[in-house]
Amino acid sequence: MGATGEQIGPARSRERFMVGEPIADGVRSPILDSWQRCRSLGLSPDQTDLPYRDDFDPDSRLVHAAGPVLDELASRFAGSQMNVSLADGNGTVLQRRFGEPTLARTLPPIQTVPGFVFAERFAGTNGIGLALAERHLVQVYGAEHFAERSQSNACSATPIRDQLSGHIVGVLCFGYPHGYEHPALPSLVRRAAQSIERRLMEQHSARERALLRAYLDAGHPARNGAGPGEGPAIGLEELGDSGLDLHDQMILKEKATELMSSTQRACVEVSLPHGRGVTLLSSPVTSRSGVEGIVVEAVFTGEPPPAHHLSVSTGAGPPHGAPHEMPHRAPHGTHGTHATPPGPAGADPPSPGKVRGLVLVGEPEVGKYAVAARRRLELLAEASTRIGTTLDVTRTAWELAEMAVPRLADYVTIDVPEAVLRGEESADPQSELHRAVVHGIREDHPFYPVGRRVEPHAGTPHVRCLNAGQPVLESDLREGIGWIDQEPEHAREILARGVHSLICVPLLARGVLLGIASFYRSQDPAPFGEDDSWLARELAARAALCIDNARRYTREHTLALALQESLLPHGIPEQGAVEVAHRYLPAESGVGGDWFDVIPLSGTRVALLVGDVVGHGLHAAATMGRLRTAARNFAELELAPDELLTHLDNLLVRLDREEGGDNDSGSTGIVGATCLYAVYDPTTRLCTMARAGHPPPALVLPGGRVTFPELPAGPPLGLGGLPFETAEIRLPEGSTMVLYTDGLVEDRERDIDVTLDQLSGILAQPDRSPEDTCRAVIDAMAPEHPADDIALLVARTRTVPADRIATWTVSADPSLVAGVRAAATRQLADWGLDELAFAAELMLSELVTNAVRYGTEPIQVRLVHDRALICEVSDGSNTAPHLRRAASTEEGGRGLFLVAQLARAWGTRYTARGKVIWAECALDAA
């Protein structure tokens, strides 16, 4: 309940706050922040005294600009209890207007007399003080006021800015009883403040017109005719007739702006793009009303300047001293003189044919603002090219800091939630902020180091920034009570290093809060202003978009990498044909579709496979998974390499048609893939290979000689309708096959012939294990920042000894089956596999009988003693038996069922001369 009226606003919440109880909701964030600052300042709710100043200027530019607007508002609110206050940038009330004039006689002086200071640090939460603290339009209702004296009222207030400098120069505040509240009041106070701002700008224009009149009245030759020996006097725009185009004029105006920011005489010679020389002269000028300014003229000679110029001489005397370069920052302060002919005192008289014209005239402060504005635009233009050069969250944050130091701030800290670094959105950014960047003009900075957890407290500029999603400017950190109270010792250390001003900016992109950037100033004695806050916001907005892109990329990259890793082999299956080692390196810019596989086949054979799907990301990884699964399934069907590639090609064409054929689906389709498929048989040392647009393998013979076999290239997968061809190579035992994807040997900076020669030199080392070969190849040839995935598969061949292979040729005579069984039993005894004799006899009896009955010659039986006992029966027909369940009344149909029960695995593979029925028995099956 307010002390002087009915309950308005969050009175209960205010009571809880005053006794130290926590407030979960019900109070707007700016109000709660202000209450916390008031309590930190030690203010009392019942205090009635406010500082009074009698040294304010009642005739200031702000008062002149606001006078007509205040009079119009008083007329609009005539007869009401509305009161309108105008305060300066320090919160000192300069003017008051009342809808009902008699109110001024009934209210205490603090509410009627100009001169009282309503800054928040003195008056607590109120419209004027909160508008200065929040730097935007605010509304305060009843119990939201910190002081009890104001709790029966409400107010709307908004800052007034100098549109030229962007600085807050005052506050316009409407005060009224709660019952007078109307939704249109905030809009009305904003429009009234904008009217005052426009009138302030008109004052600038009037002052500039007065300076121009003083310049013209001084009798300058540009107005009154040419001086002795000079050409005709004209304006800058007319110099175009003498060879100056618009670009030349822009260069001159830019240099003239820098000269205007100084109050001293100066002379600078400017080289224009076409080799012509123009001399700029600046001189002080003072209007009749005492306004001090600078006039800048151009003397156009038409000749290029001497080689030792672009130089500037300053001072009241002639510019004959040693030339020096123009300073980066214009000198501060004004030291104007009375208007005199503004030619450079003591300068050499113009030579015949020179043309002279006016470039700029104005106040030095205007020049400073123009120079500062141009530098801000230059910084933003540079930031657009230097922020976001990578898709890395941390690197992008560093680029933001490097752009801001030292041209905007002396120190920059950037804090982001840990989830953002992982590519995720943070559920509660304030609770998991981590310091990602600390960058400044000195290494021994007083700020928390990178990697530390940051926990901002309520009421600090950082939390206010995060809660509001808007920049927060603290012009004077010494008055930042909430910031100091968070960690007093750390705050004192920062202040002791000269840090005096702060801008906190949220990193927001696409509605996602990605962290907070804090800009600190220490070297420049001037505090941050509104323009600095705007610049920091623009830089942060650009960086936030890049950080969000990097975050999204990180998320997709992480998902794609996880998918890729889940789809690649997790281990090498057991097989005795080759000794294998492998490597997979994802691209730095995104996971691609490279894969490899080792597939055991029947008859001790093994299939080696490498492939590369065009593109990067989840789509490429998913397509790779489909192709790898399909390739394994086709390999299980014992297809020849060329047939397997044909099936993969057809599959990719079908997938491309299904996913990319509908133009309305938004899918880009599957572009294609390359593949190399090789099958090695250790019993014959024969390697059969086919490739689809893929680089050929490297073969390392036992002596160390390296070759790249000429395989038929074949079209890439996905084109459809084109044939593939196979090649057969007989390899000596101990040979090494090196299969790889193009990321190992191709990129924009390397020639493939050079890299293949380099690969050949690395591989030319005999008796090196596949693991050592993998390590050597990757260490020597993998780029530091690979642009494409790299898959590497190294296989050293083995051979099944001849004494572990037994072969018999059988005629199509059922009576010979018993002889085959007997011969197999003897061979198993020789190998020490007597325990497997019973199972082998049954399997061979069934398989040979089927071949004799249903197949054609030649019929051959083969036993291979490897990691398992392999029984094979081949014949010349292409018909294959099928496992089925025989009915109880059938006499046959149970043979293959017995084979399936006795064997670990069994199947059929086709050859150029027929088929092979095979069955494997584990050596420990007995």
PDB file of all heavy atoms in Angstrom, residues 775-786:
ATOM      1  N   ARG A 775      50.210 -45.963 -40.378  1.00  0.00           N
ATOM      2  CA  ARG A 775      50.739 -44.830 -39.610  1.00  0.00           C
ATOM      3  C   ARG A 775      51.662 -43.965 -40.468  1.00  0.00           C
ATOM      4  O   ARG A 775      51.577 -42.726 -40.451  1.00  0.00           O
ATOM      5  CB  ARG A 775      51.477 -45.336 -38.383  1.00  0.00           C
ATOM      6  CG  ARG A 775      51.957 -44.237 -37.448  1.00  0.00           C
ATOM      7  CD  ARG A 775      52.707 -44.796 -36.249  1.00  0.00           C
ATOM      8  NE  ARG A 775      51.879 -45.739 -35.491  1.00  0.00           N
ATOM      9  CZ  ARG A 775      52.079 -47.048 -35.454  1.00  0.00           C
ATOM     10  NH1 ARG A 775      53.091 -47.588 -36.136  1.00  0.00           N
ATOM     11  NH2 ARG A 775      51.295 -47.818 -34.754  1.00  0.00           N
ATOM     12  N   ALA A 776      52.530 -44.600 -41.238  1.00  0.00           N
ATOM     13  CA  ALA A 776      53.472 -43.850 -42.062  1.00  0.00           C
ATOM     14  C   ALA A 776      52.750 -43.052 -43.150  1.00  0.00           C
ATOM     15  O   ALA A 776      53.098 -41.893 -43.416  1.00  0.00           O
ATOM     16  CB  ALA A 776      54.484 -44.802 -42.688  1.00  0.00           C
ATOM     17  N   VAL A 777      51.743 -43.653 -43.775  1.00  0.00           N
ATOM     18  CA  VAL A 777      51.029 -42.969 -44.853  1.00  0.00           C
ATOM     19  C   VAL A 777      50.258 -41.772 -44.310  1.00  0.00           C
ATOM     20  O   VAL A 777      50.303 -40.667 -44.876  1.00  0.00           O
ATOM     21  CB  VAL A 777      50.088 -43.951 -45.574  1.00  0.00           C
ATOM     22  CG1 VAL A 777      49.147 -43.200 -46.522  1.00  0.00           C
ATOM     23  CG2 VAL A 777      50.891 -44.993 -46.337  1.00  0.00           C
ATOM     24  N   ILE A 778      49.552 -41.956 -43.213  1.00  0.00           N
ATOM     25  CA  ILE A 778      48.764 -40.848 -42.661  1.00  0.00           C
ATOM     26  C   ILE A 778      49.669 -39.733 -42.164  1.00  0.00           C
ATOM     27  O   ILE A 778      49.414 -38.547 -42.407  1.00  0.00           O
ATOM     28  CB  ILE A 778      47.850 -41.357 -41.526  1.00  0.00           C
ATOM     29  CG1 ILE A 778      46.772 -42.283 -42.095  1.00  0.00           C
ATOM     30  CG2 ILE A 778      47.216 -40.194 -40.785  1.00  0.00           C
ATOM     31  CD1 ILE A 778      45.825 -41.613 -43.073  1.00  0.00           C
ATOM     32  N   ASP A 779      50.741 -40.085 -41.473  1.00  0.00           N
ATOM     33  CA  ASP A 779      51.643 -39.053 -40.956  1.00  0.00           C
ATOM     34  C   ASP A 779      52.255 -38.226 -42.073  1.00  0.00           C
ATOM     35  O   ASP A 779      52.436 -37.013 -41.936  1.00  0.00           O
ATOM     36  CB  ASP A 779      52.755 -39.694 -40.120  1.00  0.00           C
ATOM     37  CG  ASP A 779      52.235 -40.266 -38.809  1.00  0.00           C
ATOM     38  OD1 ASP A 779      51.092 -39.930 -38.446  1.00  0.00           O
ATOM     39  OD2 ASP A 779      52.964 -41.041 -38.164  1.00  0.00           O
ATOM     40  N   ALA A 780      52.559 -38.863 -43.190  1.00  0.00           N
ATOM     41  CA  ALA A 780      53.263 -38.154 -44.261  1.00  0.00           C
ATOM     42  C   ALA A 780      52.331 -37.470 -45.249  1.00  0.00           C
ATOM     43  O   ALA A 780      52.696 -36.441 -45.819  1.00  0.00           O
ATOM     44  CB  ALA A 780      54.166 -39.133 -45.008  1.00  0.00           C
ATOM     45  N   MET A 781      51.125 -37.993 -45.454  1.00  0.00           N
ATOM     46  CA  MET A 781      50.312 -37.512 -46.563  1.00  0.00           C
ATOM     47  C   MET A 781      49.000 -36.855 -46.162  1.00  0.00           C
ATOM     48  O   MET A 781      48.434 -36.099 -46.963  1.00  0.00           O
ATOM     49  CB  MET A 781      50.007 -38.672 -47.522  1.00  0.00           C
ATOM     50  CG  MET A 781      51.239 -39.305 -48.127  1.00  0.00           C
ATOM     51  SD  MET A 781      50.842 -40.318 -49.542  1.00  0.00           S
ATOM     52  CE  MET A 781      50.079 -39.146 -50.638  1.00  0.00           C
ATOM     53  N   ALA A 782      48.497 -37.107 -44.979  1.00  0.00           N
ATOM     54  CA  ALA A 782      47.224 -36.494 -44.593  1.00  0.00           C
ATOM     55  C   ALA A 782      47.425 -35.000 -44.374  1.00  0.00           C
ATOM     56  O   ALA A 782      48.322 -34.589 -43.640  1.00  0.00           O
ATOM     57  CB  ALA A 782      46.682 -37.150 -43.335  1.00  0.00           C
ATOM     58  N   PRO A 783      46.624 -34.136 -45.013  1.00  0.00           N
ATOM     59  CA  PRO A 783      46.762 -32.688 -44.796  1.00  0.00           C
ATOM     60  C   PRO A 783      46.477 -32.327 -43.336  1.00  0.00           C
ATOM     61  O   PRO A 783      45.751 -33.035 -42.630  1.00  0.00           O
ATOM     62  CB  PRO A 783      45.698 -32.090 -45.729  1.00  0.00           C
ATOM     63  CG  PRO A 783      45.385 -33.153 -46.717  1.00  0.00           C
ATOM     64  CD  PRO A 783      45.582 -34.451 -45.999  1.00  0.00           C
ATOM     65  N   GLU A 784      47.081 -31.217 -42.903  1.00  0.00           N
ATOM     66  CA  GLU A 784      46.857 -30.776 -41.528  1.00  0.00           C
ATOM     67  C   GLU A 784      45.399 -30.408 -41.309  1.00  0.00           C
ATOM     68  O   GLU A 784      44.845 -30.642 -40.241  1.00  0.00           O
ATOM     69  CB  GLU A 784      47.754 -29.573 -41.231  1.00  0.00           C
ATOM     70  CG  GLU A 784      47.660 -29.080 -39.795  1.00  0.00           C
ATOM     71  CD  GLU A 784      48.616 -27.940 -39.514  1.00  0.00           C
ATOM     72  OE1 GLU A 784      49.413 -27.604 -40.426  1.00  0.00           O
ATOM     73  OE2 GLU A 784      48.573 -27.386 -38.406  1.00  0.00           O
ATOM     74  N   HIS A 785      44.772 -29.824 -42.330  1.00  0.00           N
ATOM     75  CA  HIS A 785      43.352 -29.485 -42.266  1.00  0.00           C
ATOM     76  C   HIS A 785      42.670 -30.123 -43.474  1.00  0.00           C
ATOM     77  O   HIS A 785      42.460 -29.470 -44.504  1.00  0.00           O
ATOM     78  CB  HIS A 785      43.156 -27.969 -42.281  1.00  0.00           C
ATOM     79  CG  HIS A 785      43.877 -27.259 -41.176  1.00  0.00           C
ATOM     80  ND1 HIS A 785      43.451 -27.318 -39.867  1.00  0.00           N
ATOM     81  CD2 HIS A 785      45.007 -26.505 -41.181  1.00  0.00           C
ATOM     82  CE1 HIS A 785      44.265 -26.604 -39.113  1.00  0.00           C
ATOM     83  NE2 HIS A 785      45.222 -26.115 -39.883  1.00  0.00           N
ATOM     84  N   PRO A 786      42.338 -31.417 -43.379  1.00  0.00           N
ATOM     85  CA  PRO A 786      41.788 -32.103 -44.551  1.00  0.00           C
ATOM     86  C   PRO A 786      40.461 -31.513 -44.999  1.00  0.00           C
ATOM     87  O   PRO A 786      39.562 -31.290 -44.179  1.00  0.00           O
ATOM     88  CB  PRO A 786      41.624 -33.554 -44.064  1.00  0.00           C
ATOM     89  CG  PRO A 786      41.592 -33.463 -42.567  1.00  0.00           C
ATOM     90  CD  PRO A 786      42.431 -32.292 -42.198  1.00  0.00           C
TER      91      PRO A 786
END
